[in-house]
Amino acid sequence: EAIVTSEELGQDLEHVEVLQKKFEEFQTDLAAHEERVNEVNQFAGKLIQEQHPEEELIKSKQDEVNASWQRLKGLALQRQGKLFGAAEVQRFNRDVDETISWIKEKGQLMASDDFGRDLASVQALLRKHEGLERDLAALEDKVKALCAEADRLQQSHPINASQIQVKREELIANWEQIRTLAAERHARLNDSYRLQRFLADFRDLTSWVTEMKALINADELANDVAGAEALLDRHQEHKGEIDAHEDSFKSADESGQALLAAGHYASDEVKEKLTILSEERSALLELWELRRQQYEQCMDLQLFYRDTEQVDNWMSKQEAFLLNEDLGDSLDSVEALLKKHEDFEKSLSAQEEKIT
């Protein structure tokens, strides 16, 4: 009877399970004694049937034994119910503690001040955070189930209702806290990603501008018309590439302006980079225009040299014609020479227009 009237219900789930195991052993022992009680009843019945002179005493003892036996079984049933209820409450406590422990473990990750140093590291952190958010989404069902279990246990175990409510509130507080942390960290990582995306675009564009400037400045001025024409063609190709990057410059500028409009924490750095990007683009266009003028001047010069050389060559040839002492020795030959001289004068007029 001391076992079934014990008020000890355990301090935690493991302790309750130990008590339940001991009680199961007691129940096994109790079941084994039921046959002994039955034997006592049968023997008493036999004695009464035989009209034993102590019949009244036998009946009294029989009733006393049966009453004690029924009382013991009733107490055992109550004890079993109490231990079962204690196990339910302690199992709830354990599940809540384990869930809170997991939440706090993930909360330490959420509280990290590492938001990435470059685009690749930010992307890696975002992927990791999205994995944590998926874990949280899966955990939400468990939190809801534990809250529902808390409501049920408060109804079925009113004596433990206040303690169960404290656990429930502790769980909800930790759950709300980690959800807030997750949302804040996701927002900060998105801010960091947008910044690093802008900075990566900035580095790519400024690096390309530097390479383009070097390319534009690389060519020496040509020494002939063909070379000058090739320079102008190549220079125009460079302009095509510059024009093709206009969308990239525009996109980078829009990204930077969006960061400024949102009041990004790195607004000063973004503003500085936007200024540099604009200046670099303007400097590249100015350099291209300057070189275009130089190449066109070079082209004009080479055309002048070519035309001068052609005129010099023509005059050298015509000078030999004019110095010829042959004045003809017949009418036909004189007429032929006159015809040649008229052709020369026409050619001279054409060259004169070219020269002037």
Side-chain angles (χ1 to χ4, degrees), residues 187-196 199 255-270:
R188 288 295 301 273
L189 284 172
N190 278 335
D191 285 345
S192 180
Y193 172 78
R194 290 165 61 207
L195 173 65
Q196 294 301 334
L199 293 178
S255 296
Q257 294 298 339
L259 290 172
L260 295 179
H264 196 278
Y265 63 84
S267 289
D268 290 343
E269 182 183 5
V270 172

Side-chain angles (χ1 to χ4, degrees), residues 69-302:
W69 177 249
Q70 292 302 320
R71 179 173 181 276
L72 185 61
K73 287 175 69 176
L75 289 172
L77 195 60
Q78 291 179 18
R79 175 68 175 165
Q80 184 181 33
K82 287 180 180 180
L83 286 174
F84 178 78
E88 280 192 315
V89 173
Q90 292 300 343
R91 190 172 292 107
F92 167 78
N93 289 338
R94 182 200 62 185
D95 290 346
V96 170
D97 288 341
E98 287 179 352
T99 302
I100 290 175
S101 176
W102 185 92
I103 288 174
K104 288 182 176 179
E105 179 186 336
K106 301 305 178 184
Q108 291 178 349
L109 298 176
M110 301 285 187
S112 170
D113 58 358
D114 181 11
F115 299 105
R117 300 168 303 282
D118 51 40
L119 188 59
S121 61
V122 173
Q123 288 174 323
L125 287 172
L126 267 172
R127 286 193 295 272
K128 183 177 180 181
H129 186 75
E130 287 165 358
L132 288 173
E133 288 184 320
R134 286 192 293 273
D135 291 343
L136 285 183
L139 184 67
E140 186 172 10
D141 290 338
K142 185 173 183 180
V143 172
K144 289 179 178 178
L146 285 172
C147 287
E149 178 70 357
D151 294 339
R152 186 186 71 79
L153 290 174
Q154 284 178 298
Q155 293 293 324
S156 59
H157 304 288
I159 193 171
N160 300 110
S162 60
Q163 180 266 323
I164 293 169
Q165 182 62 20
V166 169
K167 277 290 181 187
R168 185 179 188 276
E169 290 174 356
E170 183 183 0
L171 174 64
I172 291 173
N174 279 274
W175 172 244
E176 293 297 336
Q177 182 182 24
I178 198 170
R179 287 180 64 187
T180 301
L181 279 173
E184 290 174 351
R185 180 161 177 78
H186 202 153
R188 288 295 301 273
L189 284 172
N190 278 335
D191 285 345
S192 180
Y193 172 78
R194 290 165 61 207
L195 173 65
Q196 294 301 334
R197 177 75 271 173
F198 168 76
L199 293 178
D201 291 342
F202 167 81
R203 286 190 293 270
D204 289 344
L205 285 171
T206 51
S207 176
W208 174 80
V209 167
T210 300
E211 292 174 3
M212 206 65 201
K213 284 180 178 178
L215 201 58
I216 290 172
N217 279 321
D219 291 323
E220 297 289 340
L221 294 179
N223 295 317
D224 54 41
V225 174
E229 288 176 342
L231 279 178
L232 281 170
D233 288 343
R234 190 154 56 248
H235 195 60
Q236 197 57 43
E237 290 175 2
H238 295 333
K239 185 60 164 64
E241 189 173 350
I242 292 172
D243 291 342
H245 276 74
E246 277 302 301
D247 286 345
S248 297
F249 278 101
K250 183 180 179 182
S251 176
D253 184 72
E254 289 174 351
S255 296
Q257 294 298 339
L259 290 172
L260 295 179
H264 196 278
Y265 63 84
S267 289
D268 290 343
E269 182 183 5
V270 172
K271 192 179 297 182
E272 178 189 355
K273 294 292 191 286
L274 283 173
T275 301
I276 293 172
L277 200 58
S278 177
E279 291 173 349
E280 286 290 309
R281 177 180 171 276
S282 297
L284 177 62
L285 290 172
E286 289 171 6
L287 174 62
W288 185 89
E289 180 60 25
L290 175 63
R291 292 297 279 175
R292 183 192 66 78
Q293 293 175 7
Q294 291 175 345
Y295 291 152
E296 287 187 350
Q297 289 171 354
C298 175
M299 182 67 172
D300 292 341
L301 181 62
Q302 294 305 323

